[in-house]
Structures are given as structure tokens and as C-alpha cells.
């Protein structure tokens, strides 16, 4: 049954929904941690460390032996830095200065940037249906986020520009993972190495911030909500199981749409769990996003 599912043209779509949903479901845990005084960098560190260790155990249990070749280590370090660590730090810095609304807009752009880079590098051909789907997704995201963000004030502009480095890093990461994917490497092993490398980079970032009087890296065991860290790590493990499989079967452009699914999932959580109400514009934008994703969905070539 699983073999037939993998051959289905909807297999990438199922992976996309699973990845974006599990990543979106981790958002409330981040809110709990931040409300309890755990710094964003510390939360991201523990989330990636725990998730990476869980993935490593799972990879070993399924027969994937850890590899420490120069090619693999280079892949882990670069992928962990540009996929997770750098975007996390940039967004966290911007959120700390100008709030969460404006920086969240940057997550609308990785898909468009990834597609543009893939076209420039000859990794993709211009297919109008895919281009239209990506454009519709971008329009839907902006319809949701821009009215919530407000205008960019003069003092906030440098921090907003800093935050816009994050989608560039995410797009480069999407392209890099496909081009540098070690031959015959198991997705689970690459996912584990990426998360663990990201945890290392975040540990270094936390140490650097401590030197300029920022809070030290949080150590579990001192708070009533420490349970949120292993739970968030578990969600990171779940999301990256499908994340790297999606990269393998569908490529960087298709993968980059997870931001659209994360936004949709976050809104659904807000509506059905936190009781938030949205305008008809937001619900219409969600339909635009869904239609755009369906347009992009097509049977990818297997790696």
C-alpha cells in the first residue's frame, strides 16, 4: 500500500500538507515557551537538538548508519546554518525590535525566490501553471499578513530589511540541499544531521549573545513548562521526517510551499483552538492559497 502511495501523483501533496501542518502545530509550543521567559534562541536550540537526536535514533533503527565523511559533514553544517539557524536568529532579532507582525511577512517569499533561483540555475523550466500557482500562493499570503502588519516606520526599516535576509537564506537552502544531496544518502540521516548542526550553530549564537549581556542559554529543570521543549522537539522530528522526503521526491520549489501550509495551519489553530475570528478576506485568501498549491502539484521526476 505504501509503495503504491509513493507512486501516486498526490504523494508530494500529502508530504507537503504533513510537513507544513506539523511545523504549523509547533507554533503554540513556541508561544508557551516564550511566555515563560525562555529566549527564542534557547527554544530553537532545544527544539532542534531534541528533534535531531530523535531522528538519529530513528535513522539507526531503520538501518541508516551515521556517516561522518567530509561531504556529509559539510552538508550538515551548511544546511543547518542556512535552513534553520540563520533564519531563526534573523527573525528573532527583528521580532524583538518591531514585533511579530512585520517580520512574519517575509515567510511569503521563499517560494518565489526558490523558483527564481531554480530557473536561473536551469533546475526548473518555466511552466506557466506552476508559476501561476506560486503567484497565487504569494498573493494569498500577502492578503493575510500585510493588513495585520501595518506600515513600516522609519526606525523599523533596518530591522525589516534584516528580516528579509531570512527568505533569501531559506531559498538558497532549498536549492543547496538538492544540489549537494550526498549520493544514496537516506533522508532521515540528512534530516538528523541538519537539525543537530542547526543546534550547534544556535548554541554558538546563544554564547555570542551572552557576551553582550543577552540571557544565557536556558537549561531545562527550572520551570513548570519545561515539558514544552521535548514536545516541540518531537514535532521537529515528525516534520523533518517528511521535510527531507519531500525534498527528495519533489525538489526545492515544491518543498518551498510549506510556508503557505504553515500559515494556513496557524490560522486554523487560531480559529478552532484559540477562538480567533477572521474576516471574509482571510478565508478567501486561504482558498487562493489552496488553489495555488493544487496548481503547482504535478508528478515530479524521481531522484
Amino acid at each position: 500500500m505504501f509503495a503504491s502511495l509513493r507512486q501516486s501523483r498526490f504523494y508530494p501533496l500529502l508530504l507537503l500538507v504533513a510537513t507544513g501542518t506539523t511545523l504549523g502545530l509547533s507554533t503554540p509550543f513556541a508561544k508557551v515557551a516564550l511566555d515563560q521567559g525562555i529566549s527564542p534562541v534557547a527554544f530553537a536550540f532545544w527544539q532542534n537538538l531534541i528533534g535531531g537526536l530523535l531522528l538519529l535514533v530513528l535513522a539507526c533503527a531503520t538501518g541508516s548508519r551515521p556517516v561522518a565523511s567530509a561531504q556529509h559533514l559539510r552538508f550538515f553544517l551548511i544546511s543547518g546554518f542556512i535552513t534553520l539557524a540563520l533564519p531563526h536568529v534573523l527573525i528573532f532579532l527583528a521580532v524583538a525590535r518591531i514585533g511579530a507582525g512585520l517580520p512574519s511577512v517575509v515567510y511569503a517569499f521563499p517560494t518565489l525566490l526558490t523558483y527564481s533561483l531554480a530557473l536561473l540555475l536551469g533546475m526548473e523550466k518555466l511552466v506557466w501553471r506552476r508559476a501561476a500557482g506560486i503567484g497565487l500562493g504569494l498573493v494569498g499570503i500577502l492578503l493575510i499578513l500585510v493588513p495585520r502588519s501595518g506600515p513600516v516606520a522609519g526606525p523599523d526599516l533596518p530591522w525589516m530589511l534584516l528580516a528579509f535576509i531570512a527568505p533569501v537564506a531559506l531559498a538558497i537552502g532549498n536549492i543547496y540541499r538538492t544540489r549537494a544531496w550526498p549520493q544514496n544518502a537516506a533522508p532521515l540521516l540528512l534530516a538528523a544531521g541538519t537539525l543537530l548542526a542547526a543546534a550547534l550553530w544556535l548554541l554558538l549564537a546563544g554564547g555570542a549573545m551572552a557576551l553582550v549581556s543577552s540571557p544565557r542559554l536556558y537549561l531545562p529543570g527550572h520551570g513548570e513548562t519545561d515539558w514544552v521543549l521535548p514536545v516541540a522537539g518531537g514535532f521537529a522530528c515528525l516534520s523533518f521526517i517528511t521535510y527531507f522526503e519531500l525534498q527528495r521526491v519533489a525538489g526545492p520549489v515544491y518543498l518551498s510551499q510549506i510556508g503557505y501550509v504553515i500559515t494556513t495551519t496557524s490560522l486554523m489553530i487560531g480559529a478552532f483552538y484559540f477562538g480567533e475570528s477572521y474576516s471574509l478576506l482571510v478565508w478567501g485568501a486561504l482558498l487562493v492559497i489552496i488553489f495555488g498549491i493544487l496548481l503547482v502539484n504535478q508528478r515530479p521526476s524521481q531522484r
Side-chain angles (χ1 to χ4, degrees), residues 22-264:
T22 50
L23 286 171
L25 287 173
S26 67
T27 303
F29 301 116
K31 186 177 186 303
V32 170
L34 300 182
D35 287 346
Q36 294 301 312
I38 301 176
S39 75
V41 171
F43 174 79
F45 165 76
W46 287 109
Q47 181 184 37
N48 289 321
L49 178 64
I50 294 170
L53 291 174
L54 290 174
L55 279 171
L56 184 60
V57 170
L58 185 59
C60 293
T62 55
S64 298
R65 188 174 62 182
V67 181
S69 69
Q71 182 186 18
H72 283 77
L73 292 176
R74 181 170 60 249
F75 180 94
F76 297 152
L77 290 172
I78 295 176
S79 177
F81 181 74
I82 58 181
T83 300
L84 293 168
L86 181 60
H88 272 140
V89 171
L90 291 173
I91 294 296
F92 293 157
L93 287 173
V95 167
R97 300 311 194 280
I98 58 179
L102 282 169
S104 65
V105 175
V106 305
Y107 286 112
F109 294 97
T111 304
L112 181 62
L113 293 172
T114 302
Y115 191 46
S116 301
L117 286 174
L119 288 174
L120 287 173
L121 295 172
M123 298 172 65
E124 287 268 345
K125 294 181 179 179
L126 182 59
V127 178
W128 288 110
R129 185 180 68 175
R130 286 169 66 82
I134 289 168
L136 283 175
L138 177 61
V139 168
I141 290 287
L142 292 178
L143 284 174
I144 293 170
L145 296 178
V146 171
R148 296 165 164 241
S149 335
V152 181
D156 296 338
L157 184 58
W159 295 105
M160 190 64 188
L161 293 175
L162 182 68
F164 265 97
I165 299 174
V168 176
L170 290 169
I172 293 173
N174 293 335
I175 298 294
Y176 172 79
R177 288 191 305 276
T178 291
R179 294 180 72 92
W181 190 289
Q183 187 174 9
N184 299 322
L188 278 179
L189 185 60
L190 297 184
T194 295
L195 283 173
L196 292 174
L200 174 62
W201 286 115
L202 288 163
L203 180 64
L204 295 175
M209 291 179 180
L211 294 177
V212 291
S213 301
S214 293
R216 290 179 295 176
L217 190 64
Y218 180 83
L219 296 177
H222 303 286
E224 296 180 357
T225 57
D226 284 349
W227 59 267
V228 77
L229 298 177
V231 172
F235 269 94
C237 172
L238 287 175
S239 61
F240 270 74
I241 290 173
T242 53
Y243 189 105
F244 271 74
E245 175 66 3
L246 179 59
Q247 176 103 47
R248 184 185 72 83
V249 302
V253 175
Y254 198 96
L255 168 81
S256 65
Q257 294 180 102
I258 58 174
Y260 299 164
V261 182
I262 292 171
T263 298
T264 302

